[in-house]
Amino acid sequence: MIAAATEKHSTPQDLLTMPDGDFYELVDGRLVERKMSIWSSYVAGVIFHLLNSFCRERHLGWVLPEGTSFQCFPAHPSKVRRPDTVFIRLQRLSLEQATTEGHCPVAPDLAVEVISPNDTAYEIDEKVREFLDAGVLLVWVVNPEQRTVKIHRASGTGTILQENDEISGEDVIPGFRCRVGDFTLPPPGVVPGH
């Protein structure tokens, strides 16, 4: 992420009215540009698809793709973050809330961050801490290059999974499971390394 070159203090409302606001997060009044590689966007899309297919079939809740903005940080009411994929339990977000214009005020149950080449470890750690502090139960940090997922839990525990390990939705999305490598499989017909 790169801080936008601006002196202006921006607000969550400014982000909603900016023509290119979808490309930014808001941290301490600063616009922070979200730059994703094609590969990280693809991986985020695959994760969204896998989670959405599972949750939709079982009526578990809302799975939202990258770009959805969240203003759900009690200690920082003007902060806006855009995780790459999220899950919110059905009973925690009503249709009325979902159809209201603006940033989502409900903290997700699961937040997924897919690392892009320009992300720093500090920025990722800061986002994870913010999400957990906001009440997110489970945060997955997916590294497409290393084909790993680092799991952070509200309990303070963490786990690192490798490509052939199985990841699960734990108590947040009961029954969901797949191989970590399923997140990073290229589209059919693409030969890795070419």
Side-chain angles (χ1 to χ4, degrees), residues 119-172:
D119 286 333
T120 67
Y122 171 80
E123 290 166 334
I124 295 296
D125 288 347
E126 182 179 34
K127 277 185 159 187
V128 168
R129 183 181 43 76
E130 290 169 357
F131 286 130
L132 293 174
D133 287 349
V136 175
L137 302 173
L138 200 57
V139 180
W140 294 348
V141 177
V142 181
N143 187 323
E145 294 294 320
Q146 295 180 4
R147 291 172 162 56
T148 60
V149 176
K150 187 170 186 182
I151 299 171
H152 303 266
R153 298 177 186 89
S155 65
T157 62
T159 307
I160 297 176
L161 300 177
Q162 305 297 322
E163 182 175 17
N164 290 318
D165 293 332
E166 184 178 75
I167 189 166
S168 78
E170 301 184 16
D171 293 338
V172 177

Side-chain angles (χ1 to χ4, degrees), residues 73-95:
F73 306 96
H76 303 280
S78 61
K79 183 173 300 237
V80 176
R81 290 293 197 184
R82 296 178 189 275
D84 296 315
T85 302
V86 301
F87 167 75
I88 303 173
R89 291 179 185 158
L90 200 58
Q91 63 273 23
R92 294 191 58 242
L93 182 68
S94 69
L95 184 57

Side-chain angles (χ1 to χ4, degrees), residues 35-45 66 114-117 144 187:
K35 290 190 175 184
M36 290 186 74
S37 67
I38 293 170
W39 183 242
S40 357
S41 288
Y42 173 78
V43 169
E66 67 177 288
V114 180
I115 297 175
S116 291

Side-chain angles (χ1 to χ4, degrees), residues 33-55:
E33 189 172 2
R34 298 179 68 245
K35 290 190 175 184
M36 290 186 74
S37 67
I38 293 170
W39 183 242
S40 357
S41 288
Y42 173 78
V43 169
V46 168
I47 294 168
F48 167 79
H49 173 73
L50 291 170
L51 289 173
N52 192 48
S53 297
F54 182 88
C55 293

